[in-house]
Amino acid sequence: MDTDALLSYNWSVMAPEFTILGVATLLSIIDLFMSKHTSRRPLLWLALAGVAVAMAFVFMQLDQDVTSILHDTYRLDFFSKAFKIVLLLGGFLVLLLAADYRKEELSESRGEFYYLFLTALLGAMIMASSADMITLFVGLELLSLSSYILAGIRKKSRKSNESAFKYLVSGGIATAITLFGLSYIFGLTGKTNLFDVVETLQEPALLEHSFLLVFAFFMTFIGLSFKIAAAPFHMWAPDVYEGAPIPVTAFLSVVSKTAGFVILLRFIVLTFIAAAGIDRDPLLVQVQPYLMVLAAATMIIGNLGALRQRNVKRLFAYSSVAQAGYVLVPFVSNSTQVFELIWFYLLAYVVMNIGAFACLQTLTRDARSNDISIFRGLFSRSPWLASAMTIFLLSLAGIPATAGFAGKFGIFMGALGPEPGHYVLAGTMMLMTLVSYVYYFNIIGLMFFRDGSSKRRLPLPPSLGAVLVFCAIATIGLGILPNIALDFFFESFDVNEFFMNTGHNH
């Protein structure tokens, strides 16, 4: 590719990615020349500034038309802009969590944490704007490799090392399965660009090999299910959540999971929407029963697994598995509002889950324990912290007037209609939501109705206080007025834009 061709591209569409890449590179260079005993706090503020600037660029691009560059491998459309905002918001809040994490545990690697975090976030953003299997995979691996290192960043902790090793091994297997499925799609079509793949899959000659296409779909979906911790590919989650530092656990539960659903939407829905399966029936209709079983199993295993947990981080790991099951429901129902439903629920999940992890970080730092008993008597020690945690738990449980309820209600109604209604799946979702009340309300009961061993007041650092206030307000605001966020981002959204091949590279 010559220089004139490179200069002809509208590189401004990649301003958010360039910002994150530039800041990550700058942080790595600064950290390299800083002495071992120098505080890494300035790196945090640079990282926060970089994420804030990247988010500002995304907001400035909201009115921009669909644009693709680099032969349609990078695509800026409303889908990518909406999900980048969720990713960047989650990244900003997690960085604030990391600001006051136990410094002695990350003292040797505190600088590395910030730029590895930014490279992981960059990988997620690349996935949101990818329109080619190669760039999708590059973004996925950039996110995954950074996540493996972050999970084991407490080098002197055996539990952290063990969790990182398990994450690496299971993640490598999932990557191999994903590549296996992608290789079949490339072998059938001879294309890597998603829009070219869509066109090729509609050719009559490929109908003779429809069984291979179904096989490729399942291989790819199974590999990507690992990233969202869907059952039965969730077994890494409890160990990794327990062994990783809380900011990393929060990152994996919200940002990494959001990125997993982004690649499922971008790749699975776009590529297979018009593909024919066995007997020439639409492929996505044929695989619906299997996806329904996967979604139901994820909800059941996640909620039942959480019931027997004493370790709070493992409890939230199984809760995260259950939440993935809820978000899988729109994939099964093929709702016309699948993008809005998933986007809103992931936005709600970001604020309520990071808020819960902020409370958890304060408690675990004080008690030096992850046992559920650390919540005993919290209301008498810190009424504001207990009240905030209650808001987040009620939202995760799906109680009305919270963001979690608004998200679950939309998904539930989407599963019921218009036709054909998936009543069994909707019933499973309702039943498992009721089951989740047991472990969420158990924590609330410990905070308000049990006496703790310590009566000492809990100090709340400013950064954690800011996270708690923002997340609590956002959780209630999205629950009472969900249409404000949806109308702001999706009022002018045309679903056909997602499937539209721009046919140009400038």
Side-chain angles (χ1 to χ4, degrees):
M1 186 179 294
D2 57 29
T3 305
D4 291 338
L6 284 174
L7 293 176
S8 67
Y9 291 129
N10 181 12
W11 292 107
S12 64
V13 299
M14 294 188 69
E17 286 81 1
F18 284 142
T19 302
I20 299 297
L21 175 61
V23 173
T25 305
L26 180 63
L27 293 184
S28 64
I29 295 173
I30 294 175
D31 183 53
L32 182 65
F33 291 100
M34 292 177 78
S35 68
K36 184 177 180 180
H37 304 290
T38 304
S39 171
R40 263 49 178 182
R41 176 70 57 152
L43 301 184
L44 166 70
W45 304 122
L46 284 174
L48 283 169
V51 174
V53 171
M55 188 179 295
F57 278 127
V58 176
F59 275 102
M60 291 167 60
Q61 294 172 339
L62 287 179
D63 295 329
Q64 190 167 337
D65 295 333
V66 180
T67 308
S68 61
I69 61 174
L70 299 173
H71 299 287
D72 215 15
T73 58
Y74 181 93
R75 179 181 175 88
L76 182 71
D77 53 15
F78 209 87
F79 172 87
S80 64
K81 288 179 278 191
F83 279 96
K84 280 179 192 176
I85 288 172
V86 177
L87 293 168
L88 289 166
L89 174 63
F92 190 88
L93 293 173
V94 170
L95 281 173
L96 286 177
L97 283 187
D100 285 288
Y101 188 69
R102 294 196 290 263
K103 296 178 177 57
E104 65 273 15
E105 293 197 6
L106 294 178
S107 58
E108 294 182 3
S109 310
R110 199 160 183 81
E112 296 170 21
F113 173 85
Y114 297 124
Y115 49 83
L116 283 171
F117 177 88
L118 290 180
T119 54
L121 182 60
L122 176 63
M125 294 170 65
I126 290 174
M127 288 159 60
S129 281
S130 292
D132 191 279
M133 288 194 290
I134 295 175
T135 48
L136 272 174
F137 185 74
V138 168
L140 176 63
E141 283 306 285
L142 184 57
L143 168 65
S144 300
L145 293 174
S146 301
S147 299
Y148 301 151
I149 304 171
L150 288 172
I153 202 163
R154 291 189 299 175
K155 301 174 186 177
K156 296 181 180 179
S157 168
R158 288 186 61 187
K159 188 164 287 187
S160 182
N161 294 337
E162 179 188 348
S163 68
F165 179 74
K166 290 180 179 178
Y167 192 23
L168 173 63
V169 172
S170 53
I173 295 172
T175 297
I177 295 173
T178 304
L179 275 178
F180 190 53
L182 294 178
S183 68
Y184 268 83
I185 295 172
F186 177 73
L188 286 169
T189 63
K191 310 287 185 181
T192 59
N193 184 275
L194 299 185
F195 292 97
D196 293 340
V197 170
V198 171
E199 293 179 7
T200 307
L201 288 178
Q202 298 179 39
E203 294 180 1
L206 278 178
L207 295 176
E208 300 175 7
H209 307 287
S210 56
F211 68 96
L212 289 177
L213 190 60
V214 174
F215 179 77
F217 172 86
F218 278 111
M219 287 295 100
T220 309
F221 196 91
I222 288 171
L224 296 177
S225 295
F226 165 87
K227 183 55 64 180
I228 61 173
F233 316 105
H234 68 288
M235 294 309 296
W236 62 272
D239 291 330
V240 174
Y241 279 39
E242 181 182 7
I246 284 183
V248 177
T249 303
F251 173 80
L252 294 176
S253 70
V254 293
V255 179
S256 183
K257 188 180 292 290
T258 298
F261 280 106
V262 165
I263 195 172
L264 280 176
L265 282 169
R266 176 68 83 181
F267 181 73
I268 298 295
V269 175
L270 174 59
T271 305
F272 294 101
I273 189 69
I278 300 172
D279 297 329
R280 303 195 178 190
D281 292 330
L283 187 146
L284 288 182
V285 174
Q286 284 189 348
V287 301
Q288 266 190 359
Y290 305 99
L291 297 184
M292 184 168 65
V293 171
L294 181 71
T298 303
M299 289 186 282
I300 293 170
I301 292 174
N303 283 300
L304 295 184
L307 288 175
R308 56 190 297 271
Q309 299 302 318
R310 291 284 307 175
N311 186 296
V312 184
K313 292 174 77 175
R314 295 182 72 89
L315 186 150
F316 273 93
Y318 280 104
S319 167
S320 177
V321 173
Q323 303 292 336
Y326 302 142
V327 186
L328 280 172
V329 172
F331 282 98
V332 180
S333 59
N334 279 342
S335 169
T336 55
Q337 295 181 315
V338 60
F339 301 106
E340 293 96 321
L341 292 175
I342 292 178
W343 178 85
F344 182 84
Y345 195 84
L346 290 174
L347 175 65
Y349 186 62
V350 163
V351 294
M352 60 189 179
N353 215 45
I354 290 182
F357 274 114
C359 296
L360 186 59
Q361 180 168 309
T362 304
L363 289 170
T364 55
R365 178 175 54 192
D366 178 74
R368 300 283 175 163
S369 169
N370 292 324
D371 191 82
I372 198 170
S373 60
I374 62 176
F375 287 102
R376 296 177 69 97
L378 178 60
F379 182 73
S380 61
R381 299 176 62 195
S382 179
W384 291 108
L385 189 63
S387 300
M389 188 65 179
T390 301
I391 292 172
F392 304 134
L393 291 172
L394 292 177
S395 184
L396 286 165
I399 300 300
T402 63
F405 171 79
K408 284 182 181 177
F409 182 77
I411 291 174
F412 181 79
M413 295 306 294
L416 289 179
E419 55 88 21
H422 297 275
Y423 302 110
V424 174
L425 188 61
T428 304
M429 182 179 177
M430 180 177 290
L431 178 61
M432 288 302 106
T433 299
L434 293 175
V435 170
S436 71
Y437 290 176
V438 176
Y439 55 89
Y440 289 134
F441 281 89
N442 178 43
I443 296 176
I444 295 175
L446 290 174
M447 290 191 296
F448 287 89
F449 306 114
R450 296 290 185 272
D451 293 328
S453 57
S454 173
K455 300 295 183 182
R456 184 165 50 86
R457 291 280 175 177
L458 281 172
L460 192 62
S463 61
L464 287 185
V467 172
L468 287 172
V469 170
F470 175 83
C471 290
I473 293 174
T475 299
I476 296 174
L478 290 173
I480 298 175
L481 300 169
N483 287 335
I484 291 180
L486 286 170
D487 290 343
F488 180 79
F489 287 104
F490 287 94
E491 186 176 16
S492 58
F493 175 65
D494 181 6
V495 71
N496 293 320
E497 175 186 300
F498 180 77
F499 303 102
M500 180 179 67
N501 191 351
T502 55
H504 58 82
N505 294 313
H506 302 296

